[in-house]
Amino acid sequence: MDERGPALVTQAAVILYAVAGVMLTALHAVWPAAAAYALMGIANIGWAVASQAVVAAASTPATRVRNYGYYSLWNSAGAVVGPVIGGFVTGHFGYRTAFALVWVLMIPSLPIAGRLPGASAAPRRPLSLAMAPRLVQTILRERGVGAVLFISFVVVCAQTLQQTFYPLYLNTVGLSPTLIGIVIAAISLGSMVVRSLLSRGVDRFGYAGLLNGATALLAVTLGIIPLLRQFWPLVAVSALMGASLGFTQPLTMSLMVESVAAELCGVALGIRQGVQRLGAILSPMVFGVVTAAFRIEWAFFLGSAALLGAVPIVASVTGHLGSPPRPGQAPLPASNPSPGAPSRSD
């Protein structure tokens, strides 16, 4: 993304989504389906890095967190609308038609992707893919990057627990598929509501206060889940869980961009995505072992305990983070970049 720009990366992601959709529509076997989902996973990462870089380039230090809140809000809206449409089409027309929607939706997306603006209007230092290992080391040495990656990792571990084992728990307590869908949708709705309030929350509590509060709230909700078996209490807890996730994801995006030079935005966001995927791979294995050895409730207790243990660590590594400058206010001076890194430009 840093070398070629977000338009090319997004177009490639759209093409990969389309190819995967065609494979799922036409080839009904396990290995083609696995290959199609692998392509969609690559496309998902490319789209995420490119779109987040576009938001960063279109923002000032004063508006960045607000714009990432809007960006995440529309992601949550898609997470609410997509399953509803997919479920309706599958129920009435079958899986083949539902998978066909994937590549059909990519047809208008391709020309839109080609019109994305560049990541920066300023002169850019020439970059190449061969420089990636050295750039990763440079970014990891920047102040604040380690804190952002740690927070991203622990939050994604909790989010993976919610995505993987929460529906199983809801089925265990006897909820119908329809009620399970409503409970899960409450998570996305909770995220949508708070993301429209993200900028106000940062102005009032600062990055550190909001991240610590959201992490603690997520820990509490995970710990409460095994104690609940009724529909409405589970809906309420799901909404609170969504609220905590709604704060943490856009905040870590904004902080990651703020911690590095503009020329390295794509690599930095790619590192964040990589750490998140590492958490998404490791945490289901750990929680699965706990569930098999004990019961599914203990997976939630473990997730809650891990997050509660992470809260003081999050507090210590985010203590220097304050509120972003408000519109019209000059940004704080940036820290000096690491030796050999391009100069920072906000």
Side-chain angles (χ1 to χ4, degrees):
M1 203 291 300
D2 288 329
E3 182 183 6
R4 301 293 182 179
L8 181 63
V9 175
T10 306
Q11 286 179 312
V14 169
I15 293 171
L16 288 180
Y17 268 123
V19 172
V22 171
M23 292 174 64
L24 290 171
T25 305
L27 305 176
H28 294 263
V30 173
W31 287 111
Y37 271 90
L39 292 177
M40 293 174 71
I42 297 171
N44 193 329
I45 297 296
W47 158 248
V49 171
S51 60
Q52 290 168 20
V54 170
V55 174
S59 306
T60 65
T63 62
R64 185 183 298 123
V65 68
R66 181 197 66 192
N67 290 342
Y68 273 120
Y70 290 147
Y71 167 84
S72 301
L73 172 66
W74 284 100
N75 272 328
S76 296
V80 173
V81 174
V84 174
I85 296 176
F88 175 83
V89 173
T90 300
H92 288 77
F93 305 102
Y95 284 103
R96 187 189 298 268
T97 305
F99 287 134
L101 282 178
V102 176
W103 61 265
V104 169
L105 289 172
M106 294 304 104
I107 295 174
S109 299
L110 187 61
I112 296 175
R115 297 170 59 186
L116 286 177
S120 176
R124 300 170 62 83
R125 178 177 177 175
L127 299 174
S128 67
L129 189 60
M131 298 173 61
R134 183 163 61 87
L135 295 178
V136 169
Q137 296 176 18
T138 298
I139 291 170
L140 292 178
R141 288 195 297 264
E142 290 285 352
R143 183 187 182 194
V145 169
V148 174
L149 295 180
F150 174 77
I151 297 167
S152 298
F153 181 83
V154 297
V155 169
V156 164
C157 288
Q159 188 175 19
T160 303
L161 172 62
Q162 166 255 306
Q163 293 173 339
T164 308
F165 292 92
Y166 194 30
L168 297 178
Y169 174 76
L170 296 175
N171 181 69
T172 300
V173 299
L175 267 62
S176 67
T178 300
L179 294 181
I180 291 175
I182 295 173
V183 172
I184 298 301
I187 299 173
S188 296
L189 289 173
S191 296
M192 289 180 63
V193 171
V194 301
R195 281 169 174 170
S196 61
L197 305 173
L198 183 62
S199 183
R200 296 180 185 177
V202 173
D203 286 340
R204 182 168 183 177
F205 301 106
Y207 281 118
L210 206 54
L211 279 171
N212 293 332
T215 305
L217 178 61
L218 185 56
V220 171
T221 55
L222 288 177
I224 290 176
I225 284 173
L227 307 178
L228 303 176
R229 293 181 173 271
Q230 302 300 317
F231 172 69
W232 287 112
L234 287 168
V235 169
V237 168
S238 296
L240 291 175
M241 188 189 308
S244 64
L245 294 171
F247 281 130
T248 53
Q249 296 290 14
L251 284 175
T252 54
M253 290 179 205
S254 180
L255 287 171
M256 196 68 181
V257 171
E258 185 177 313
S259 300
V260 301
E263 295 89 342
L264 305 181
C265 179
V267 181
L269 292 170
I271 294 172
R272 176 181 171 273
Q273 288 284 334
V275 169
Q276 288 182 313
R277 293 306 178 271
L278 181 63
I281 292 171
L282 296 179
S283 57
M285 298 180 185
V286 174
F287 294 131
V289 169
V290 172
T291 299
F294 302 99
R295 292 188 306 172
I296 192 171
E297 289 85 353
W298 284 97
F300 291 96
F301 289 140
L302 175 62
S304 176
L307 279 174
L308 286 176
V311 168
I313 301 176
V314 172
S316 65
V317 299
T318 59
H320 67 283
L321 300 176
S323 300
R326 294 173 180 165
Q329 176 184 348
L332 295 176
S335 59
N336 292 328
S338 300
S343 60
R344 184 192 309 256
S345 60
D346 288 328

